[in-house]
Amino acid sequence: MDGRVTGTCQALERGYLRTAPSRSEDIRPKDVLQKSLQWVAEKAGGMGEGRYGYLMSQLKAMRQELTVQGIDDGFAIEVYEMCLKEALNAGDRGEYTVCHAALKELGNNGHILERLLFQALAGDQFEDLNTEVCEQVAAGTRSPVFDFITASYQMNPYLMRAAHDAMSPAHQQVYRTFSHKHRTLVFEVLLKAAGPTKIDPVHTAQLLILPPDTSLESFLTTVCGLSPPPMDAKPLLEGLQIKRTELKRT
């Protein structure tokens, strides 16, 4: 015996609890979990506010039940992939990281480019990423994601913009969701290059890969926490550095 439990519960809904269930009557078998996945996905589809919280609670409960029963097949991958997609759309970095690690453990490398891009935006060490990128290139994988990662660690906004525009819509979505910290670093590079001179808000917004409906001014206010003066590079850089110091203290 390996200590695993075979579930007997027939409930289609069960919220996530920090302590995983251990009694068979509290655990749903695979066939019930498959029905549950369809049920909660359809229910969540008609929900507005609270949709993400409900859906993730249900999915995390399923993950617990899969784990305690030792189910690590294609259905487990399906559950984690749904979690990954929902976390990406919600900008939930913690859950997104957990799902990527689990999918890798399950032997699913279908999201490897997405994961590498996410790690680059999160500021992971270039040496670690570069090793994996080289392995992928040696295996015959080609992608603008690799160009973006290289340009990112070179802090070359022009090459980053070109690589971003060549990426697939799915990879661009990863950038839009997790790029706040990265954009702030790129903005600092642009400010230092400009020195005390005025900067061009439109050109700078393009290099920061801001969405079409987002101006440089709104980026500075919402992401950097600054109410900017006229677009002089030196005061903006000083304000950004002060804001970062304040954030470290809290």
Side-chain angles (χ1 to χ4, degrees), residues 24 29 36 38 60 76 86 89 97 102 125 127 148 158 176-177 193 204 212 225 227 235 244 248:
S24 60
S36 175
Q38 182 178 356
K60 288 169 72 174
E86 293 296 330
N89 291 335
T97 304
Q125 290 295 320
E127 292 77 10
F148 183 91
Y158 293 92
R176 285 194 297 273
T177 304
T204 304
S227 298
R244 178 162 294 173
K248 286 181 179 179

PDB file of all heavy atoms in Angstrom, residues 24 29 36 38 60 76 86 89 97 102 125 127 148 158 176-177 193 204 212 225 227 235 244 248:
ATOM      1  N   SER A  24     -12.054   8.901   2.224  1.00  0.00           N
ATOM      2  CA  SER A  24     -12.565   8.587   0.891  1.00  0.00           C
ATOM      3  C   SER A  24     -13.902   9.264   0.625  1.00  0.00           C
ATOM      4  O   SER A  24     -14.182   9.683  -0.509  1.00  0.00           O
ATOM      5  CB  SER A  24     -12.708   7.065   0.726  1.00  0.00           C
ATOM      6  OG  SER A  24     -13.615   6.539   1.689  1.00  0.00           O
ATOM      7  N   PRO A  29     -13.736  10.631  -6.986  1.00  0.00           N
ATOM      8  CA  PRO A  29     -12.951   9.841  -7.933  1.00  0.00           C
ATOM      9  C   PRO A  29     -12.811  10.574  -9.262  1.00  0.00           C
ATOM     10  O   PRO A  29     -13.483  11.580  -9.503  1.00  0.00           O
ATOM     11  CB  PRO A  29     -13.777   8.553  -8.087  1.00  0.00           C
ATOM     12  CG  PRO A  29     -15.177   8.973  -7.769  1.00  0.00           C
ATOM     13  CD  PRO A  29     -15.059  10.035  -6.710  1.00  0.00           C
ATOM     14  N   SER A  36     -17.205  17.307 -12.762  1.00  0.00           N
ATOM     15  CA  SER A  36     -17.119  18.546 -11.988  1.00  0.00           C
ATOM     16  C   SER A  36     -16.424  19.644 -12.778  1.00  0.00           C
ATOM     17  O   SER A  36     -16.845  20.809 -12.736  1.00  0.00           O
ATOM     18  CB  SER A  36     -16.371  18.293 -10.675  1.00  0.00           C
ATOM     19  OG  SER A  36     -16.188  19.495  -9.963  1.00  0.00           O
ATOM     20  N   GLN A  38     -16.328  20.155 -15.976  1.00  0.00           N
ATOM     21  CA  GLN A  38     -17.267  20.695 -16.955  1.00  0.00           C
ATOM     22  C   GLN A  38     -18.345  21.540 -16.272  1.00  0.00           C
ATOM     23  O   GLN A  38     -18.702  22.614 -16.741  1.00  0.00           O
ATOM     24  CB  GLN A  38     -17.903  19.560 -17.752  1.00  0.00           C
ATOM     25  CG  GLN A  38     -18.874  20.045 -18.827  1.00  0.00           C
ATOM     26  CD  GLN A  38     -19.448  18.890 -19.641  1.00  0.00           C
ATOM     27  OE1 GLN A  38     -19.066  17.738 -19.463  1.00  0.00           O
ATOM     28  NE2 GLN A  38     -20.369  19.208 -20.540  1.00  0.00           N
ATOM     29  N   LYS A  60      -8.562  24.347  -7.446  1.00  0.00           N
ATOM     30  CA  LYS A  60      -7.543  23.972  -6.461  1.00  0.00           C
ATOM     31  C   LYS A  60      -8.003  22.785  -5.619  1.00  0.00           C
ATOM     32  O   LYS A  60      -7.199  21.931  -5.222  1.00  0.00           O
ATOM     33  CB  LYS A  60      -7.206  25.176  -5.579  1.00  0.00           C
ATOM     34  CG  LYS A  60      -6.400  26.253  -6.307  1.00  0.00           C
ATOM     35  CD  LYS A  60      -6.295  27.539  -5.516  1.00  0.00           C
ATOM     36  CE  LYS A  60      -5.376  27.409  -4.339  1.00  0.00           C
ATOM     37  NZ  LYS A  60      -5.155  28.694  -3.652  1.00  0.00           N
ATOM     38  N   ALA A  76      -5.173  15.386 -15.261  1.00  0.00           N
ATOM     39  CA  ALA A  76      -4.498  16.298 -14.323  1.00  0.00           C
ATOM     40  C   ALA A  76      -3.893  17.476 -15.077  1.00  0.00           C
ATOM     41  O   ALA A  76      -3.969  18.628 -14.635  1.00  0.00           O
ATOM     42  CB  ALA A  76      -3.422  15.545 -13.548  1.00  0.00           C
ATOM     43  N   GLU A  86      -6.505  30.711 -16.445  1.00  0.00           N
ATOM     44  CA  GLU A  86      -7.276  31.629 -15.614  1.00  0.00           C
ATOM     45  C   GLU A  86      -6.356  32.563 -14.821  1.00  0.00           C
ATOM     46  O   GLU A  86      -6.642  33.757 -14.671  1.00  0.00           O
ATOM     47  CB  GLU A  86      -8.178  30.848 -14.654  1.00  0.00           C
ATOM     48  CG  GLU A  86      -9.291  30.080 -15.341  1.00  0.00           C
ATOM     49  CD  GLU A  86     -10.295  30.978 -16.045  1.00  0.00           C
ATOM     50  OE1 GLU A  86     -10.489  32.125 -15.577  1.00  0.00           O
ATOM     51  OE2 GLU A  86     -10.886  30.547 -17.040  1.00  0.00           O
ATOM     52  N   ASN A  89      -5.033  35.280 -17.159  1.00  0.00           N
ATOM     53  CA  ASN A  89      -6.036  36.300 -17.465  1.00  0.00           C
ATOM     54  C   ASN A  89      -6.296  37.214 -16.265  1.00  0.00           C
ATOM     55  O   ASN A  89      -6.629  38.383 -16.433  1.00  0.00           O
ATOM     56  CB  ASN A  89      -7.339  35.637 -17.904  1.00  0.00           C
ATOM     57  CG  ASN A  89      -7.219  34.961 -19.259  1.00  0.00           C
ATOM     58  OD1 ASN A  89      -6.373  35.332 -20.074  1.00  0.00           O
ATOM     59  ND2 ASN A  89      -8.046  33.963 -19.512  1.00  0.00           N
ATOM     60  N   THR A  97       2.717  30.786 -11.296  1.00  0.00           N
ATOM     61  CA  THR A  97       3.992  30.116 -11.050  1.00  0.00           C
ATOM     62  C   THR A  97       3.778  28.681 -10.583  1.00  0.00           C
ATOM     63  O   THR A  97       4.460  27.745 -11.038  1.00  0.00           O
ATOM     64  CB  THR A  97       4.793  30.885  -9.980  1.00  0.00           C
ATOM     65  OG1 THR A  97       4.963  32.241 -10.409  1.00  0.00           O
ATOM     66  CG2 THR A  97       6.165  30.264  -9.778  1.00  0.00           C
ATOM     67  N   ALA A 102       3.892  22.765 -11.702  1.00  0.00           N
ATOM     68  CA  ALA A 102       3.168  21.495 -11.678  1.00  0.00           C
ATOM     69  C   ALA A 102       3.121  20.861 -13.059  1.00  0.00           C
ATOM     70  O   ALA A 102       3.301  19.642 -13.208  1.00  0.00           O
ATOM     71  CB  ALA A 102       1.752  21.710 -11.144  1.00  0.00           C
ATOM     72  N   GLN A 125      17.539  35.132 -13.084  1.00  0.00           N
ATOM     73  CA  GLN A 125      18.924  35.260 -13.529  1.00  0.00           C
ATOM     74  C   GLN A 125      19.073  34.868 -14.998  1.00  0.00           C
ATOM     75  O   GLN A 125      18.589  33.813 -15.421  1.00  0.00           O
ATOM     76  CB  GLN A 125      19.834  34.368 -12.677  1.00  0.00           C
ATOM     77  CG  GLN A 125      20.007  34.852 -11.249  1.00  0.00           C
ATOM     78  CD  GLN A 125      20.731  36.194 -11.178  1.00  0.00           C
ATOM     79  OE1 GLN A 125      21.682  36.445 -11.910  1.00  0.00           O
ATOM     80  NE2 GLN A 125      20.261  37.058 -10.296  1.00  0.00           N
ATOM     81  N   GLU A 127      21.672  33.898 -16.625  1.00  0.00           N
ATOM     82  CA  GLU A 127      22.489  32.707 -16.844  1.00  0.00           C
ATOM     83  C   GLU A 127      21.625  31.447 -16.809  1.00  0.00           C
ATOM     84  O   GLU A 127      21.789  30.542 -17.629  1.00  0.00           O
ATOM     85  CB  GLU A 127      23.605  32.605 -15.798  1.00  0.00           C
ATOM     86  CG  GLU A 127      24.689  33.668 -15.908  1.00  0.00           C
ATOM     87  CD  GLU A 127      24.256  35.016 -15.359  1.00  0.00           C
ATOM     88  OE1 GLU A 127      23.174  35.075 -14.711  1.00  0.00           O
ATOM     89  OE2 GLU A 127      24.965  36.018 -15.590  1.00  0.00           O
ATOM     90  N   PHE A 148      13.418  38.303 -27.523  1.00  0.00           N
ATOM     91  CA  PHE A 148      12.953  39.240 -26.499  1.00  0.00           C
ATOM     92  C   PHE A 148      13.736  39.062 -25.209  1.00  0.00           C
ATOM     93  O   PHE A 148      14.124  40.044 -24.573  1.00  0.00           O
ATOM     94  CB  PHE A 148      11.460  39.046 -26.240  1.00  0.00           C
ATOM     95  CG  PHE A 148      10.903  40.029 -25.253  1.00  0.00           C
ATOM     96  CD1 PHE A 148      10.372  41.231 -25.687  1.00  0.00           C
ATOM     97  CD2 PHE A 148      10.931  39.777 -23.886  1.00  0.00           C
ATOM     98  CE1 PHE A 148       9.873  42.156 -24.780  1.00  0.00           C
ATOM     99  CE2 PHE A 148      10.442  40.698 -22.974  1.00  0.00           C
ATOM    100  CZ  PHE A 148       9.914  41.887 -23.426  1.00  0.00           C
ATOM    101  N   TYR A 158      14.602  49.026 -28.228  1.00  0.00           N
ATOM    102  CA  TYR A 158      14.275  48.934 -29.654  1.00  0.00           C
ATOM    103  C   TYR A 158      14.165  47.471 -30.093  1.00  0.00           C
ATOM    104  O   TYR A 158      13.219  47.085 -30.788  1.00  0.00           O
ATOM    105  CB  TYR A 158      15.338  49.671 -30.476  1.00  0.00           C
ATOM    106  CG  TYR A 158      15.330  51.153 -30.239  1.00  0.00           C
ATOM    107  CD1 TYR A 158      16.136  51.730 -29.260  1.00  0.00           C
ATOM    108  CD2 TYR A 158      14.493  52.003 -30.975  1.00  0.00           C
ATOM    109  CE1 TYR A 158      16.116  53.096 -29.016  1.00  0.00           C
ATOM    110  CE2 TYR A 158      14.468  53.370 -30.743  1.00  0.00           C
ATOM    111  CZ  TYR A 158      15.282  53.913 -29.761  1.00  0.00           C
ATOM    112  OH  TYR A 158      15.248  55.267 -29.524  1.00  0.00           O
ATOM    113  N   ARG A 176       1.722  41.504 -21.501  1.00  0.00           N
ATOM    114  CA  ARG A 176       0.772  42.512 -21.001  1.00  0.00           C
ATOM    115  C   ARG A 176       0.426  42.268 -19.541  1.00  0.00           C
ATOM    116  O   ARG A 176       0.255  43.209 -18.766  1.00  0.00           O
ATOM    117  CB  ARG A 176      -0.511  42.489 -21.846  1.00  0.00           C
ATOM    118  CG  ARG A 176      -0.377  43.124 -23.211  1.00  0.00           C
ATOM    119  CD  ARG A 176      -1.738  43.362 -23.833  1.00  0.00           C
ATOM    120  NE  ARG A 176      -2.470  42.117 -24.061  1.00  0.00           N
ATOM    121  CZ  ARG A 176      -2.353  41.369 -25.149  1.00  0.00           C
ATOM    122  NH1 ARG A 176      -1.514  41.722 -26.109  1.00  0.00           N
ATOM    123  NH2 ARG A 176      -3.060  40.263 -25.284  1.00  0.00           N
ATOM    124  N   THR A 177       0.322  41.001 -19.155  1.00  0.00           N
ATOM    125  CA  THR A 177      -0.127  40.673 -17.808  1.00  0.00           C
ATOM    126  C   THR A 177       0.954  40.867 -16.754  1.00  0.00           C
ATOM    127  O   THR A 177       0.674  41.310 -15.640  1.00  0.00           O
ATOM    128  CB  THR A 177      -0.622  39.215 -17.763  1.00  0.00           C
ATOM    129  OG1 THR A 177      -1.641  39.039 -18.747  1.00  0.00           O
ATOM    130  CG2 THR A 177      -1.191  38.869 -16.386  1.00  0.00           C
ATOM    131  N   ALA A 193      19.178  57.584 -20.503  1.00  0.00           N
ATOM    132  CA  ALA A 193      19.714  57.890 -21.833  1.00  0.00           C
ATOM    133  C   ALA A 193      19.356  59.313 -22.260  1.00  0.00           C
ATOM    134  O   ALA A 193      20.129  59.990 -22.943  1.00  0.00           O
ATOM    135  CB  ALA A 193      19.175  56.888 -22.855  1.00  0.00           C
ATOM    136  N   THR A 204       8.222  57.249 -26.376  1.00  0.00           N
ATOM    137  CA  THR A 204       8.542  56.480 -25.170  1.00  0.00           C
ATOM    138  C   THR A 204       7.469  55.434 -24.895  1.00  0.00           C
ATOM    139  O   THR A 204       7.770  54.295 -24.529  1.00  0.00           O
ATOM    140  CB  THR A 204       8.683  57.416 -23.961  1.00  0.00           C
ATOM    141  OG1 THR A 204       9.679  58.412 -24.242  1.00  0.00           O
ATOM    142  CG2 THR A 204       9.092  56.646 -22.713  1.00  0.00           C
ATOM    143  N   PRO A 212      -2.483  50.575 -26.774  1.00  0.00           N
ATOM    144  CA  PRO A 212      -2.845  51.782 -27.535  1.00  0.00           C
ATOM    145  C   PRO A 212      -3.657  52.790 -26.730  1.00  0.00           C
ATOM    146  O   PRO A 212      -3.599  53.986 -26.984  1.00  0.00           O
ATOM    147  CB  PRO A 212      -3.674  51.226 -28.708  1.00  0.00           C
ATOM    148  CG  PRO A 212      -3.209  49.810 -28.860  1.00  0.00           C
ATOM    149  CD  PRO A 212      -2.878  49.344 -27.479  1.00  0.00           C
ATOM    150  N   GLY A 225       3.263  55.083  -9.754  1.00  0.00           N
ATOM    151  CA  GLY A 225       2.813  55.844  -8.601  1.00  0.00           C
ATOM    152  C   GLY A 225       3.281  57.286  -8.616  1.00  0.00           C
ATOM    153  O   GLY A 225       3.411  57.919  -7.568  1.00  0.00           O
ATOM    154  N   SER A 227       2.830  61.315 -10.125  1.00  0.00           N
ATOM    155  CA  SER A 227       2.062  62.327 -10.833  1.00  0.00           C
ATOM    156  C   SER A 227       3.089  63.215 -11.513  1.00  0.00           C
ATOM    157  O   SER A 227       3.670  64.094 -10.872  1.00  0.00           O
ATOM    158  CB  SER A 227       1.189  63.129  -9.864  1.00  0.00           C
ATOM    159  OG  SER A 227       0.249  62.290  -9.235  1.00  0.00           O
ATOM    160  N   PRO A 235      13.959  65.024 -13.579  1.00  0.00           N
ATOM    161  CA  PRO A 235      13.010  64.998 -12.456  1.00  0.00           C
ATOM    162  C   PRO A 235      12.195  63.709 -12.410  1.00  0.00           C
ATOM    163  O   PRO A 235      11.887  63.211 -11.319  1.00  0.00           O
ATOM    164  CB  PRO A 235      12.105  66.206 -12.728  1.00  0.00           C
ATOM    165  CG  PRO A 235      12.859  67.088 -13.633  1.00  0.00           C
ATOM    166  CD  PRO A 235      13.737  66.193 -14.444  1.00  0.00           C
ATOM    167  N   ARG A 244      10.574  54.220  -5.523  1.00  0.00           N
ATOM    168  CA  ARG A 244      11.071  52.866  -5.295  1.00  0.00           C
ATOM    169  C   ARG A 244      11.613  52.724  -3.872  1.00  0.00           C
ATOM    170  O   ARG A 244      11.419  51.707  -3.213  1.00  0.00           O
ATOM    171  CB  ARG A 244      12.169  52.538  -6.310  1.00  0.00           C
ATOM    172  CG  ARG A 244      12.785  51.169  -6.115  1.00  0.00           C
ATOM    173  CD  ARG A 244      13.526  50.719  -7.351  1.00  0.00           C
ATOM    174  NE  ARG A 244      12.609  50.521  -8.449  1.00  0.00           N
ATOM    175  CZ  ARG A 244      12.977  50.265  -9.696  1.00  0.00           C
ATOM    176  NH1 ARG A 244      14.259  50.217  -9.995  1.00  0.00           N
ATOM    177  NH2 ARG A 244      12.091  50.082 -10.639  1.00  0.00           N
ATOM    178  N   LYS A 248      10.224  50.104  -0.843  1.00  0.00           N
ATOM    179  CA  LYS A 248      11.069  49.164  -0.121  1.00  0.00           C
ATOM    180  C   LYS A 248      10.869  49.262   1.372  1.00  0.00           C
ATOM    181  O   LYS A 248      11.051  48.297   2.105  1.00  0.00           O
ATOM    182  CB  LYS A 248      12.554  49.431  -0.476  1.00  0.00           C
ATOM    183  CG  LYS A 248      12.945  48.963  -1.857  1.00  0.00           C
ATOM    184  CD  LYS A 248      14.411  49.230  -2.120  1.00  0.00           C
ATOM    185  CE  LYS A 248      14.812  48.741  -3.508  1.00  0.00           C
ATOM    186  NZ  LYS A 248      16.237  49.023  -3.795  1.00  0.00           N
TER     187      LYS A 248
END
